[in-house]
Amino acid sequence: MFGLRSPLTWEHHLGGFLTVVTFIIWMLQLNLNPSSGPRSDPFHCRALLHDGSWSPLASDGSRKWEPNHCRMVEYSGDAIQDCLEGRRIIFAGDSTIRQVFLAAAKRLDPEIPSNMTDFRSSSTMWHQNISYEAHGVKLDFIWDPWLNSTTLVNALGLLGFQSPVETIDPIPVLFVVGAPGLWTARYGGDDYLHSFKRRIDGILSYLTSNFDHTVVQDKADIKIRKIRPQILLAPVPVPNYDSLSYSRSRTILPERIEAMNDYLLELPSKYHLHILWAYNRFSTKPADDLNSDGLHASDNIAANKLDIALNARCNSAARVGSRSFKGTCCVSEPYNFWYKGPLIWWLIFTVLFSEFFRIYFLKDLPPFHRSLMQAANVIIYILIWCWYCDGSLRIGQMERHYREDDFIKACLVWLAVSVWSFRERKTEWDPPAYRGPGFLSRDHSEEIKGLMQGFILLYHYHYASQTLWVYKIIRLFVSAYFYLSGYGHTSSWLKKRDFSLTRVLRDLFRLNLLSLLLPYIMGTHYSLYYFAPVISFWYLILYAMLGFFSHLNKSPWWFGTKVIVTAALTDWLTSTPGILESFAAISLRVLRIPCDPEEMRFRLRLDRYIVYVGAVMAYIIYKASRRRKQTGLDLSRAPLDRRPKLGLLLDLVCVIDLFVYVYLTQHGLIDKRRYNLVHPYISWVPILCFVVLRNSYDAISNRYLALPAALGRISLETYVLQYHIWLGGDATAKLSLGLGDGNL
């Protein structure tokens, strides 16, 4: 950092090294393969329209199409209405395009039967135009397998008007046109390719505008709902040749289909973004993805085709309208005043001030002011990096999928690396104080926090929340963090008896700084980073419990009474409707930061007792240390062969309790909702058992895991920043540099 004077630890060097290596690899990729970077696909439209892959099979056997390097969303009927209210979509082509039209109609009205009998009743044949309107959205299908009908030409002619003209129907904002390949292959004879080229050339005159311009205009004109129409051209579909009827198989030949698609590939580059090449990447299993006739796609394929078209049309406007919108394909980067305004000027100022005027000014600044400027620089760099990774379009996003083998391997690697850093503590014990089971030094607390934080980061990255057995373990880790928080704060207050307002404000400032700044930068809400507000809540509760009538803390009976009363009050506070809602309203009105009271209520009640268990344990340890003598429970100082029977019995009970807890929770509570109901009452059992075992032997009580301890010192910051740096989309997607197949 500019002007940094304090020595850097090995953790800083490691983090800086990994950041530099990642940046260098990304820049090399952009230079060696420019087609994969943001310069060639600034809005990720090419990623949406041209390529992708199928997601792994879900538990119900379904799968989703996922573009490389960006996220495609499934548009519900309500979302289609929000995007296209008062507008029109035109589908033109043969029966394969009609399938996409039918998929759109069913999205708007799921009650429509698959065979569209209502539409057929108004016509004697399928080979006719179809219109459907629902909820202010009009869908038109133009039967035109040759792309030469007057209806299509008239509809395309409306594209030249920027304001309503004399027409009953609204001007279309999206055309999905199918290339006339199947019909020219079957009925075009030997002149099929010339006929195909002539039909395609007739459409090209309407594709002259740069496709990216339609995305940019969405951003500029969203407030007045003025959107430039888009035309998407579906390539010639590749049939399942083995399933074609005899008459079709004689003319719909592989070489003909390939020759027509090759012509589309050879078109000038300005037309390429209009072509839906992803449609021909769908059919990885023709027998499953195509119907028995070998031509028409399954309902799932047709629905994914529709979503690609809707994502190209609607994503940009939806993202401008809401930061919470998860689609990142074919979107423009939202304007961020804080990113492009004050933060940039602050960086320029600090660079000039720190580098060019250091000799004249910085040397005369007091150490406090110099440290304050350094800290402000670090915070601003972090905020800019968060926006760069998750707010801008410089780095792509991809969906997460849980693969148990990958998750377990990553966890084992983290555990092995952590154990490798096992080393002896440098600080010495205070001989008179109690150091037996239940006691946790600062190094041990940070070690446990960091070890759990590593697993939590991997848990979120690998989307392991979809698996109940993993969720139960991680849920226990989170409770352990609150236990350590209650233990640490209570120990500090009992020892130092510092209940000053200065300390409270300082601690709350550190706990909430990032969580309060990120909503302004990222457009999120405070409760998204729930760990900070929840830990702040319990901090204030413990402060009130220990600070009021603090002289009574000397008495175990009064301390126990305060714990019971406080636990009852917080139970009432978090369960009564209206209280948290009032705090959320104040947050929105005063700080302009939205907060979800229901989310906070769920988080607070899930760990509503474990903090008090930590406080009680800290009180017991404090009282044992105050006696200034070895107690019956101080078992860690004795060799293993001389340990009292009470110590061995305690260790045995803890080990048995851990196994019983794991067995009962993993086999008895097979529903997440039931587990969440029971969790607040049982989470203390394995946590206390582990805490007792962690410090029961001298061989391990004098040592700690250095790497997890380093992570534990910044565990809260790491948890908050994972939403925008470790992951993307507010921790709902993986960040992608576009290397290889886009998965890195």
Side-chain angles (χ1 to χ4, degrees), residues 186-303:
R186 187 175 185 188
Y187 301 111
D190 295 335
D191 197 34
Y192 77 94
L193 188 57
H194 176 72
S195 177
F196 176 81
K197 292 180 179 179
R198 188 171 66 251
R199 309 300 184 191
I200 293 297
D201 292 344
I203 296 293
L204 294 183
S205 59
Y206 300 99
L207 308 181
T208 54
S209 63
N210 190 324
F211 188 86
D212 286 338
H213 290 172
T214 62
V215 179
V216 175
Q217 187 158 340
D218 282 355
K219 177 181 176 181
D221 299 335
I222 181 62
K223 292 184 178 180
I224 60 175
R225 301 184 64 81
K226 177 182 177 183
I227 297 180
R228 181 178 300 179
Q230 288 179 349
I231 301 179
L232 300 175
L233 178 64
V236 183
V238 179
N240 182 11
Y241 297 102
D242 295 334
S243 300
L244 293 178
S245 64
Y246 175 73
S247 59
R248 287 173 173 169
S249 63
R250 294 181 61 186
T251 53
I252 302 179
L253 303 174
E255 55 269 22
R256 291 191 173 190
I257 301 298
E258 184 177 351
M260 289 183 285
N261 281 328
D262 285 344
Y263 177 73
L264 295 178
L265 282 170
E266 295 168 358
L267 292 174
S269 59
K270 65 179 181 179
Y271 300 127
H272 286 181
L273 267 183
H274 292 271
I275 302 178
L276 295 158
W277 287 114
Y279 280 18
N280 280 0
R281 312 246 191 252
F282 282 154
S283 185
T284 57
K285 299 178 180 179
D288 298 331
D289 299 332
L290 298 177
N291 294 337
S292 58
D293 60 8
L295 288 177
H296 297 93
S298 64
D299 291 342
N300 182 47
I301 297 292

Side-chain angles (χ1 to χ4, degrees), residues 492-493 495-501 503-504 506 543:
S492 177
W493 274 318
K495 292 177 183 178
K496 300 180 180 179
R497 301 177 184 177
D498 181 8
F499 297 99
S500 64
L501 182 61
R503 174 184 173 170
V504 173
R506 182 191 63 204
Y543 172 79

Side-chain angles (χ1 to χ4, degrees), residues 317-466:
R319 188 170 177 85
V320 171
S322 173
R323 170 65 175 83
S324 62
F325 181 72
K326 301 306 179 186
T328 61
C329 298
C330 225
V331 298
S332 56
E333 182 175 325
Y335 178 79
N336 189 326
F337 169 78
W338 293 105
Y339 177 74
K340 295 186 177 180
L343 292 186
I344 297 299
W345 282 108
W346 172 265
L347 283 179
I348 295 175
F349 169 77
T350 54
V351 170
L352 294 175
F353 191 82
S354 300
E355 298 301 320
F356 295 101
F357 299 100
R358 178 184 301 171
I359 298 176
Y360 303 100
F361 296 98
L362 197 57
K363 67 178 183 180
D364 297 326
L365 286 177
F368 172 77
H369 293 83
R370 187 185 305 130
S371 300
L372 185 63
M373 177 175 289
Q374 293 169 2
N377 284 345
V378 171
I379 295 297
I380 289 175
Y381 294 149
I382 290 174
L383 296 176
I384 290 178
W385 187 241
C386 285
W387 177 259
Y388 183 87
C389 291
D390 193 23
S392 70
L393 300 178
R394 306 301 193 276
I395 297 180
Q397 297 181 9
M398 300 188 67
E399 298 291 347
R400 298 173 298 163
H401 299 290
Y402 176 66
R403 296 180 176 88
E404 189 167 81
D405 292 343
D406 293 342
F407 172 67
I408 293 177
K409 289 177 183 177
C411 290
L412 291 177
V413 169
W414 167 243
L415 184 61
V417 173
S418 300
V419 173
W420 176 76
S421 67
F422 195 56
R423 62 185 60 177
E424 190 171 351
R425 298 179 71 251
K426 295 182 180 180
T427 56
E428 298 293 334
W429 301 113
D430 295 327
Y434 170 77
R435 296 293 182 263
F439 169 79
L440 288 174
S441 67
R442 188 179 186 89
D443 287 335
H444 292 155
S445 296
E446 291 171 346
E447 166 204 288
I448 297 173
K449 288 181 180 179
L451 190 63
M452 295 186 302
Q453 182 64 14
F455 288 123
I456 290 173
L457 292 176
L458 294 174
Y459 165 81
H460 288 154
Y461 186 84
H462 289 273
Y463 203 31
S465 58
Q466 302 303 297

Side-chain angles (χ1 to χ4, degrees), residues 160-179:
F161 296 94
Q162 296 300 320
S163 59
V165 296
E166 293 183 2
T167 176
I168 298 177
D169 296 323
I171 296 177
V173 294
L174 176 62
F175 285 80
V176 180
V177 181

Side-chain angles (χ1 to χ4, degrees), residues 379-645:
I379 295 297
I380 289 175
Y381 294 149
I382 290 174
L383 296 176
I384 290 178
W385 187 241
C386 285
W387 177 259
Y388 183 87
C389 291
D390 193 23
S392 70
L393 300 178
R394 306 301 193 276
I395 297 180
Q397 297 181 9
M398 300 188 67
E399 298 291 347
R400 298 173 298 163
H401 299 290
Y402 176 66
R403 296 180 176 88
E404 189 167 81
D405 292 343
D406 293 342
F407 172 67
I408 293 177
K409 289 177 183 177
C411 290
L412 291 177
V413 169
W414 167 243
L415 184 61
V417 173
S418 300
V419 173
W420 176 76
S421 67
F422 195 56
R423 62 185 60 177
E424 190 171 351
R425 298 179 71 251
K426 295 182 180 180
T427 56
E428 298 293 334
W429 301 113
D430 295 327
Y434 170 77
R435 296 293 182 263
F439 169 79
L440 288 174
S441 67
R442 188 179 186 89
D443 287 335
H444 292 155
S445 296
E446 291 171 346
E447 166 204 288
I448 297 173
K449 288 181 180 179
L451 190 63
M452 295 186 302
Q453 182 64 14
F455 288 123
I456 290 173
L457 292 176
L458 294 174
Y459 165 81
H460 288 154
Y461 186 84
H462 289 273
Y463 203 31
S465 58
Q466 302 303 297
T467 304
L468 184 57
W469 72 268
V470 182
Y471 169 82
K472 295 174 182 176
I473 296 175
I474 298 300
R475 187 63 254 165
L476 193 60
F477 287 170
V478 175
S479 297
Y481 188 98
F482 291 122
Y483 169 88
L484 293 173
S485 178
Y487 177 92
H489 290 313
T490 302
S491 297
S492 177
W493 274 318
L494 290 175
K495 292 177 183 178
K496 300 180 180 179
R497 301 177 184 177
D498 181 8
F499 297 99
S500 64
L501 182 61
T502 301
R503 174 184 173 170
V504 173
L505 294 178
R506 182 191 63 204
D507 291 344
L508 290 178
F509 178 82
R510 179 186 178 275
L511 292 174
N512 292 275
L513 178 61
L514 286 176
S515 299
L516 288 174
L517 291 178
L518 284 172
Y520 292 107
I521 300 297
M522 305 302 300
T524 55
H525 52 86
Y526 179 56
S527 56
L528 173 67
Y529 319 99
Y530 78 91
F531 219 77
V534 169
I535 207 69
S536 300
F537 174 86
W538 291 120
Y539 177 91
L540 292 174
I541 292 296
L542 290 176
Y543 172 79
M545 182 183 76
L546 296 170
F548 290 110
F549 304 104
S550 59
H551 62 282
L552 298 178
N553 295 336
K554 298 178 181 179
S555 169
W557 295 106
W558 276 111
F559 180 84
T561 302
K562 292 171 73 173
V563 169
I564 295 173
V565 172
T566 306
L569 287 176
T570 53
D571 196 2
W572 169 80
L573 181 69
T574 57
S575 62
T576 303
I579 298 178
L580 295 179
E581 285 77 3
S582 299
F583 284 106
I586 295 173
S587 173
L588 182 61
R589 183 174 303 174
V590 176
L591 301 176
R592 301 297 180 186
I593 297 178
C595 181
D596 185 355
E598 286 302 321
E599 175 71 12
M600 294 303 301
R601 178 174 288 110
F602 170 76
R603 299 295 180 181
L604 290 171
R605 294 193 60 77
L606 204 54
D607 296 295
R608 59 185 181 272
Y609 300 127
I610 191 63
V611 175
Y612 299 109
V613 176
V616 170
M617 197 66 184
Y619 188 83
I620 294 174
I621 300 298
Y622 171 74
K623 283 295 185 180
S625 298
R626 293 281 294 176
R627 296 192 184 99
R628 298 292 182 180
K629 63 180 181 179
Q630 302 295 328
T631 65
L633 286 178
D634 199 359
L635 311 172
S636 63
R637 320 310 299 174
L640 182 60
D641 57 347
R642 298 180 183 179
R643 287 172 59 79
K645 293 182 179 180

